[in-house]
Amino acid sequence: MAEARAYFDNQLRAQKLNDTISSVTDQLAKAKKQGSFASLMAAKSIPKSLHCLSTRLMEERISNPSKFVDYGDPPPELEDPELYHYAIFSDNVLAASVVVNSAVANAREPEKHVFHVVTDKMNFWAMKAWFTLRPPNNVTHIEVKTVEDYTFLNSSYVPVLKQLKSADLLKFYFENQMENATKDARNMKFRNPKYLSMLNHLRFYLAQMYPNLHRILFLDDDIVVQKDLTALWEIDMDGKVNAAVETCFGSFHRYSQYMNFSHPLVKERFDPKACAWAYGMNLFDLDAWRKEKCTEEYHYWQTQNENRLLWKLGTLPPGLMTFYKTTKPLDKSWHVLGLGYNPNISHEKIKSAAVIHYNGNMKPWLDLGMKKYKKYWTKYIDSDMELIRACNIIMKRKQ
């Protein structure tokens, strides 16, 4: 009986230990989800210091109203197809300025470069004030507009805006309880409402936005230009619409990773082993775009994906579908990616790149950005550090 009792006590202790281990495992999994959620929110949000910067820029505009008066028609250079045109869509004043400043600083003929910056209503006057009061030089052409200036972008034409009226979609992306927002950990990053912003989807309307242009270079706002890019406009596109750097190697970054090949529409139209490419620096032949009716193709796929059965979210999957077989691969030295998540990119590789891209959560304007890469970004805001430091001081005092 004594032996039986000892055996029973050991079994009871083992069961209690298993229960404790199970409880700790559940707590650890929950903590990991909450940590990932917090990290994602930190990465996708605009820091308070940048909101402060926008406020200070608005103060400058109010103090100098005469500097913001538009006289007459827009300059003809904005629609001159013989010049080098860039499209930058951003709600981050500092990030957009780095893209423009770095491109201009490395351009051999800055007077031939035209930057089309599009932002939202909230950040328009701050963006306008920045480029009006702090232009990179006196010869480069910079246009600042809002999404609302393009009146054809309405819910009757744009599937994303139409889908925003769906209660199911609003619940999915604007879930306000952390336990609900983190219940699907694998797809948590896709649940960010920012993916539904028209600033993210403007890239599919370039041909309509700039009807008089033949080619335009699309740049994300988390890139830095390190070399003159004019050679891109001389590339023979071979009738393709999009020129981009491919990202596949081995079995990684193939189409199968971005879309649902169990869906018959996807399985029928695409090769799962097709090589994916990167958004961030893309040269678009707008004449070929119009000929291939790429915006209509994008509308078709976006409409088919209303219930998120073809892909989860983002602009890369519909981009891969829209420009399938119409993308020309660029040499990888044109566009080096990963500075927002990969700590192992060599200095030599970065130095030889025409464009470096801080894709990932560790953006250079955030505290969680990797210090070893920040110097490539901050060198283009050195002249504006006084205003930025003032904002940082203000925010620290408020804290």
Side-chain angles (χ1 to χ4, degrees), residues 33-45 361-362 366 368:
K33 286 183 180 181
Q34 291 175 341
S36 297
F37 181 76
S39 175
L40 184 66
M41 290 301 295
K44 299 300 182 184
S45 302
N361 287 344
M362 300 179 183
L366 299 175
L368 52 78

Side-chain angles (χ1 to χ4, degrees), residues 233-271:
W233 277 265
E234 306 303 323
I235 289 176
D236 183 357
M237 294 282 283
D238 300 320
K240 305 292 187 183
V241 178
N242 172 33
V245 168
E246 292 184 328
T247 56
C248 62
F249 58 97
S251 60
F252 295 98
H253 295 287
R254 303 284 175 175
Y255 269 50
S256 58
Q257 291 180 279
Y258 297 95
M259 52 197 77
N260 177 19
F261 272 87
S262 64
H263 195 287
L265 265 179
V266 176
K267 187 176 181 180
E268 178 186 343
R269 294 281 294 272
F270 304 101
D271 178 3

Side-chain angles (χ1 to χ4, degrees), residues 361-377:
N361 287 344
M362 300 179 183
K363 303 299 185 189
W365 55 83
L366 299 175
D367 290 338
L368 52 78
M370 285 184 271
K371 291 182 179 179
K372 63 184 291 187
Y373 299 144
K374 280 194 175 185
K375 60 185 178 181
Y376 304 109
W377 190 83

Side-chain angles (χ1 to χ4, degrees), residues 35-321:
S36 297
F37 181 76
S39 175
L40 184 66
M41 290 301 295
K44 299 300 182 184
S45 302
I46 300 294
K48 289 182 179 179
S49 58
L50 291 187
H51 283 296
C52 169
L53 179 64
S54 295
T55 303
R56 295 293 295 272
L57 290 168
M58 287 299 296
E59 289 176 0
E60 290 194 33
R61 178 188 176 267
I62 294 169
S63 302
N64 303 279
S66 60
K67 294 184 178 181
F68 299 92
V69 177
D70 292 325
Y71 298 100
D73 298 326
E77 289 84 1
L78 298 181
E79 296 185 352
D80 186 347
E82 299 301 318
L83 300 180
Y84 305 112
H85 292 263
Y86 303 77
I88 304 165
F89 308 140
S90 175
D91 59 359
N92 187 324
V93 174
L94 204 57
S97 74
V98 169
V99 179
V100 174
N101 290 345
S102 61
V104 170
N106 292 286
R108 286 193 292 267
E109 299 176 289
E111 70 277 4
K112 293 186 178 180
H113 294 255
V114 183
F115 295 87
H116 302 271
V117 180
V118 182
T119 187
D120 53 26
K121 267 185 180 179
M122 182 181 296
N123 294 283
F124 171 71
W125 283 113
M127 195 80 75
K128 184 83 169 176
W130 183 279
F131 287 112
T132 300
L133 301 176
R134 292 170 176 78
N137 54 42
N138 294 321
V139 293
T140 301
H141 311 283
I142 302 174
E143 175 190 50
V144 180
K145 300 184 79 170
T146 69
V147 175
E148 290 76 13
D149 289 326
Y150 300 94
T151 54
F152 69 90
L153 296 173
N154 53 62
S155 59
S156 64
Y157 178 63
V158 178
V160 167
L161 295 178
K162 189 182 300 182
Q163 290 164 10
L164 271 176
K165 298 177 180 179
S166 163
D168 178 59
L169 197 70
L170 291 173
K171 181 180 178 181
F172 183 82
Y173 293 114
F174 295 89
E175 189 73 72
N176 59 7
Q177 298 295 322
M178 183 180 289
E179 59 268 26
N180 292 329
T182 59
K183 60 189 174 186
D184 185 3
R186 289 183 306 168
N187 299 312
M188 190 191 309
K189 67 179 181 179
F190 299 117
R191 299 175 72 96
N192 194 302
K194 194 169 183 178
Y195 280 116
L196 293 177
S197 165
M198 269 309 299
L199 286 175
N200 264 336
H201 291 266
L202 285 181
R203 64 192 71 190
F204 294 105
Y205 298 95
L206 287 165
Q208 291 96 321
M209 293 170 70
Y210 308 106
N212 296 320
L213 302 183
H214 303 307
R215 289 189 176 189
I216 196 165
L217 186 65
F218 168 77
L219 297 177
D220 265 339
D221 67 356
D222 55 353
I223 67 100
V224 172
V225 179
Q226 301 189 127
K227 296 182 179 179
D228 181 77
L229 299 180
T230 53
L232 284 170
W233 277 265
E234 306 303 323
I235 289 176
D236 183 357
M237 294 282 283
D238 300 320
K240 305 292 187 183
V241 178
N242 172 33
V245 168
E246 292 184 328
T247 56
C248 62
F249 58 97
S251 60
F252 295 98
H253 295 287
R254 303 284 175 175
Y255 269 50
S256 58
Q257 291 180 279
Y258 297 95
M259 52 197 77
N260 177 19
F261 272 87
S262 64
H263 195 287
L265 265 179
V266 176
K267 187 176 181 180
E268 178 186 343
R269 294 281 294 272
F270 304 101
D271 178 3
K273 296 181 180 179
C275 187
W277 43 265
Y279 267 130
M281 189 205 74
N282 306 77
L283 181 70
F284 289 106
D285 184 323
L286 300 182
D287 293 331
W289 179 310
R290 297 176 189 109
K291 180 180 178 182
E292 297 291 336
K293 298 183 177 180
C294 291
T295 300
E296 289 84 347
E297 183 77 1
Y298 159 70
H299 280 180
Y300 171 76
W301 290 113
Q302 193 68 46
T303 302
Q304 293 297 318
N305 194 50
E306 184 172 3
N307 296 320
R308 303 178 302 281
L309 297 178
L310 277 63
W311 72 89
K312 289 297 180 182
L313 199 67
T315 51
L316 181 56
L320 295 175
M321 299 168 109

